[in-house]
Amino acid sequence: MEKREDPAAGRRPEPPAAGRQNSGARETGAMEKRPKVSVCVPAYNNEAEVRRLFASLAAQTMQDMEIILTDDSTDGKVGELAEWIRTGAREAAGMAQGPGQVFRDAPCMKRLRYVHNEKPLGHIFNWNKALSLAEGEYIKIMFSDDWFTEKDSLEKLTALLDDNPRASLAFCGTRQVSKKRTWERAAGKDYVDRLRRDYRYLFLGNEIGAPSATLYRACGAAFDERSSWASDMFLYFEILRKNPVFVCTAEPLISIGVHEQQYTESFSGRDIRKYRDSLLMYEKYRLEGLEECRKEMLRLNVVYGQGMRAAMACGASRGEYRKQRVRWFWENTVLGYGNALLYKLGFRR
């Protein structure tokens, strides 16, 4: 999920007007063959993180890619970085101590396409703007505060799809990096097996991870612009409902920047936007027919206090709703207070 909140979450993207797209966006790539991979990078006032990501792109052993940088920034610094890469204009502010010649001359940097949104579009709309410009055989969205862990990360991800021509989606493990610690995560075997049985079980939880951990065949899939908290899951649904075959590796090929400014950090534990995304997903993909999904939607109706009428609209009976209410009360009130008391008395550690 995107990790940076920006000021125009509800504005739809407009086609780039003449002069809005960087003048060098197509001068080296217009007549070239279709790129193997389109790396889509949405940015917002974070030039240092974009530079770190670009450094990891320049170092990749697989260079058959275009880079699409769609910029919602208001401070101009991401644009200065893009201009320096395009022209080598070291007089651009802050670039005198910027990346070296090797960085700027990497083959992928010669296929950089930069678009500045004169009016910030907002996070999901900016992501879709980048996807709409992609021309590659494979699509690789990279949030600008993430980066490739190793020099062969993109090569390995690309090989997953090359070696599995029936697959529409590839995803990998990630290395989560915060100021305090680093840890690795990957989808568990039970989760992967369940998803292979029916991709719609994605509704029960997202272990695929952030979109930066994925690579998929170009198929026109995009983020649902009505979503917020679960926007990444909507993208995966769009890919997998067209072709439910996927391939994955637990190897942490992508590093995820973890910080307090992440967009996901703006959602509280029982933020109603989480429920709304789940309901939209449940209805859009017609999940009532899967018992596990129906039970999960019933649980969410109770957790978010939506009442019996909302639960019945999602396919639950009155009896099922009442049982779920009792179960939730027991687990979250009776047992919760009981365990807290035992802890206070020293009987639990």
Side-chain angles (χ1 to χ4, degrees):
M1 198 170 290
E2 164 73 342
K3 299 184 289 300
R4 186 168 302 282
E5 190 166 22
D6 48 40
R11 186 173 291 121
R12 290 185 175 276
E14 300 174 359
R20 186 179 304 171
Q21 183 163 319
N22 184 300
S23 60
R26 306 297 275 157
E27 59 185 34
T28 60
M31 302 304 293
E32 294 180 7
K33 67 180 180 67
R34 182 186 188 188
K36 183 75 171 181
V37 179
S38 290
V39 180
C40 300
V41 182
Y44 174 67
N45 287 349
N46 60 332
E47 181 270 338
E49 292 172 334
V50 173
R51 193 188 307 195
R52 177 179 62 188
L53 168 57
F54 277 20
S56 75
L57 281 166
Q60 290 302 297
T61 54
M62 209 292 284
Q63 286 284 311
D64 187 3
M65 65 175 113
E66 65 172 353
I67 302 171
I68 301 168
L69 176 60
T70 53
D71 186 17
D72 257 0
S73 296
T74 56
D75 62 9
K77 293 182 180 179
V78 172
E80 290 171 0
L81 174 62
E83 181 68 8
W84 182 83
I85 291 171
R86 189 180 72 86
T87 66
R90 291 182 177 274
E91 64 274 12
M95 291 298 104
Q97 302 300 320
Q101 194 73 17
V102 174
F103 173 99
R104 188 166 60 85
D105 286 348
C108 65
M109 294 300 159
K110 298 182 184 300
R111 300 185 79 170
L112 170 64
R113 299 167 61 190
Y114 172 74
V115 177
H116 180 250
N117 304 316
E118 294 177 357
K119 295 181 179 179
L121 301 175
H123 61 282
I124 296 178
F125 302 100
N126 195 29
W127 307 347
N128 279 343
K129 178 67 168 288
L131 294 180
S132 73
L133 298 172
E135 297 179 351
E137 178 183 351
Y138 299 157
I139 309 298
K140 179 81 189 80
I141 192 162
M142 283 295 293
F143 291 145
S144 49
D145 41 6
D146 303 332
W147 64 97
F148 291 91
T149 305
E150 305 293 346
K151 293 182 178 180
D152 60 353
S153 289
L154 185 56
E155 182 178 351
K156 288 181 175 179
L157 267 173
T158 304
L160 286 175
L161 289 182
D162 285 346
D163 295 343
N164 296 273
R166 294 182 58 247
S168 63
L169 171 70
F171 59 91
C172 64
T174 57
R175 181 168 296 161
Q176 312 288 120
V177 182
S178 72
K179 290 182 178 179
K180 295 182 178 179
R181 66 189 185 103
T182 298
W183 69 100
E184 295 180 359
R185 62 163 303 282
K189 182 180 182 302
D190 290 344
Y191 178 87
V192 171
D193 290 344
R194 184 174 67 192
L195 214 58
R196 289 196 195 284
R197 290 196 302 273
D198 194 320
Y199 76 92
R200 294 175 295 174
Y201 286 128
L202 175 64
F203 179 73
L204 303 179
N206 176 21
E207 292 186 23
I208 293 175
S212 294
T214 68
L215 178 74
Y216 63 94
R217 296 184 194 277
C219 61
F223 295 93
D224 191 311
E225 293 173 350
R226 297 170 293 175
S227 67
S228 53
W229 175 72
S231 51
D232 47 5
M233 295 170 70
F234 282 91
L235 177 66
Y236 307 154
F237 257 106
E238 287 301 303
I239 297 166
L240 293 173
R241 77 169 174 172
K242 295 172 184 287
N243 174 11
V245 181
F246 64 88
V247 62
C248 60
T249 177
E251 188 175 358
L253 301 177
I254 302 296
S255 292
I256 305 291
V258 179
H259 49 81
E260 293 180 354
Q261 288 74 40
Q262 290 177 333
Y263 176 69
T264 48
E265 294 299 314
S266 68
F267 294 85
S268 61
R270 276 196 277 174
D271 192 311
I272 193 63
R273 290 174 293 178
K274 294 182 179 181
Y275 172 80
R276 289 170 182 162
D277 268 17
S278 296
L279 180 60
L280 175 60
M281 193 181 306
Y282 185 78
E283 293 176 343
K284 180 176 181 178
Y285 299 109
R286 301 177 181 179
L287 302 178
E288 184 179 331
L290 284 178
E291 183 178 2
E292 292 90 340
C293 294
R294 188 175 60 81
K295 288 180 177 179
E296 174 62 9
M297 195 65 234
L298 170 60
R299 186 188 72 81
L300 292 172
N301 271 291
V302 171
V303 169
Y304 287 90
Q306 296 302 297
M308 182 182 293
R309 182 176 297 180
M312 293 178 67
C314 293
S317 67
R318 293 176 182 271
E320 288 174 323
Y321 173 76
R322 292 190 181 103
K323 287 180 182 178
Q324 183 63 43
R325 284 275 299 174
V326 170
R327 183 181 300 115
W328 186 87
F329 179 79
W330 174 260
E331 292 175 352
N332 293 273
T333 303
V334 177
L335 291 182
Y337 282 116
N339 289 332
L341 179 60
L342 291 173
Y343 180 85
K344 187 174 182 179
L345 295 174
F347 292 105
R348 289 208 175 200
R349 298 290 180 187

